[in-house]
Amino acid sequence: MKLRVFILTLLAMIAFASNSLLCRAALKQTRIDPASFTFVRVFAGAAALWLIMAMRRSPFEKRGNWPSAIALFVYAAAFSFAYVNLSAGTGALLLFGAVQATMILWGFRKGERLDGVQILGIILALIGLVVLVFPGISAPPLIGSIFMLTAGVAWGVYSLRGKTAAHAAAATAGNFLRAVPFATLISIIMLPKMRLDSLGIVYALISGAITSGLGYVIWYAALADLKATSAATVQLSVPVLAATGGILLLGESINLRYVIASIAVLGGIALVIIERQRSPSRTGLT
């Protein structure tokens, strides 16, 4: 993997992990409701990206598209509503399992194939994820599980569509702008259950403007040089990074289970990506 792509991918994964921490903190530690969190997050992302595009005098209104905007909104809304009922560990497993399944199945459909080493890498990464979140896996609520699986499929679709984006920042800005009406609509529908909280709004603003808006620009920029299977597998690092954030920022203690899971997930990702770079001829995709 080229150094530029590696750095962009690493920054994007850190942004995604930060997003998870912010969303968990807002919905678990403050009174803000998921619809309001989603609206503030999407609106803040659109506003921040509009400001960036305006400062660069770069037109973006015609960039992005409605299908990608809908996928972005569905991911953001389902993600927020899922974490009302799901534990963080179970939610992470469902989300990134759905993301990986969506992107790898699409890769197969487009002609990508995995050899034995890559299959081993995916299995190793999945085992690491299970080890990481296993204490939280116990008959998760059905509604919350459906929401999180939906979020995972939507994010997989959004990532796949981003592979064809010629201008990452403009496309992301256009998608966020188009997603605002949908976020507004769901806030109106859920108005009777609206609960606002100043700290929750701050978390949503940071999540929207920085870890979502800017994070997704970085991710779109990296996607152009990542195969669907590689892009899917690398996102399995997010739960590990989120757990690291919990240790560093929330005072959670490190343990052997965390170390083993991290090695398995990151090692599995390395096997998939390194082997793909060594054997590019197995697929007609570029």
Side-chain angles (χ1 to χ4, degrees):
M1 182 182 293
K2 297 178 182 178
L3 179 60
R4 170 185 170 276
V5 179
F6 172 79
I7 293 174
L8 289 174
T9 303
L10 177 61
L11 290 174
M13 295 306 102
I14 292 173
F16 294 167
S18 300
N19 229 0
S20 295
L21 290 171
L22 288 165
C23 187
R24 275 184 246 168
L27 296 175
K28 294 296 182 181
Q29 299 177 5
T30 79
R31 296 184 67 255
I32 193 170
D33 66 282
S36 296
F37 183 90
T38 301
F39 170 77
V40 175
R41 177 184 178 187
V42 172
F43 183 83
L49 291 169
W50 174 85
L51 181 60
I52 292 173
M53 293 295 100
M55 292 175 63
R56 293 169 57 178
R57 300 184 182 277
S58 176
F60 70 93
E61 291 81 359
K62 295 183 179 180
R63 301 288 183 181
N65 53 77
W66 286 106
S68 293
I70 292 172
L72 174 63
F73 162 73
V74 171
Y75 154 74
F79 182 81
S80 298
F81 278 91
Y83 268 129
V84 172
N85 297 316
L86 289 180
S87 67
T90 301
L93 179 60
L94 292 171
L95 176 68
F96 290 99
V99 170
Q100 186 176 64
T102 300
M103 298 187 72
I104 288 179
L105 286 175
W106 180 258
F108 286 162
R109 184 177 182 275
K110 301 300 286 185
E112 292 187 33
R113 293 295 180 266
L114 302 178
D115 62 15
V117 173
Q118 291 173 307
I119 292 174
L120 175 62
I122 290 176
I123 293 174
L124 183 62
L126 288 173
I127 290 174
L129 258 186
V130 173
V131 170
L132 180 65
V133 303
F134 185 76
I137 303 176
S138 57
L142 178 61
I143 299 300
S145 298
I146 293 174
F147 273 130
M148 191 58 83
L149 289 172
T150 302
V153 173
W155 180 252
V157 170
Y158 186 75
S159 293
L160 287 167
R161 294 187 62 84
K163 288 176 66 62
T164 60
H167 303 281
T172 306
N175 290 333
F176 263 89
L177 187 65
R178 289 174 173 84
V180 170
F182 298 107
T184 303
L185 179 61
I186 197 171
S187 293
I188 294 173
I189 293 173
M190 300 300 295
L191 192 61
K193 296 185 178 180
M194 177 182 287
R195 298 188 311 273
L196 296 179
D197 182 285
S198 58
L199 184 58
I201 291 174
V202 170
Y203 287 153
L205 288 172
I206 296 173
S207 175
I210 300 176
T211 60
S212 291
L214 297 183
Y216 298 173
V217 170
I218 294 171
W219 180 230
Y220 259 33
L223 278 171
D225 295 310
L226 289 175
K227 298 292 188 296
T229 47
S230 298
T233 306
V234 75
Q235 292 182 81
L236 291 175
S237 65
V238 175
V240 176
L241 293 173
T244 302
I247 291 170
L248 297 177
L249 303 176
L250 305 178
E252 299 175 359
S253 60
I254 191 170
N255 53 46
L256 182 61
R257 177 173 61 86
Y258 165 74
V259 174
I260 294 174
S262 299
I263 293 173
V265 171
L266 298 178
I269 291 171
L271 285 177
V272 173
I273 295 178
I274 292 173
E275 186 67 13
R276 172 64 69 184
Q277 294 298 318
R278 288 176 54 192
S279 307
S281 61
R282 280 195 300 272
T283 176
L285 298 180
T286 57

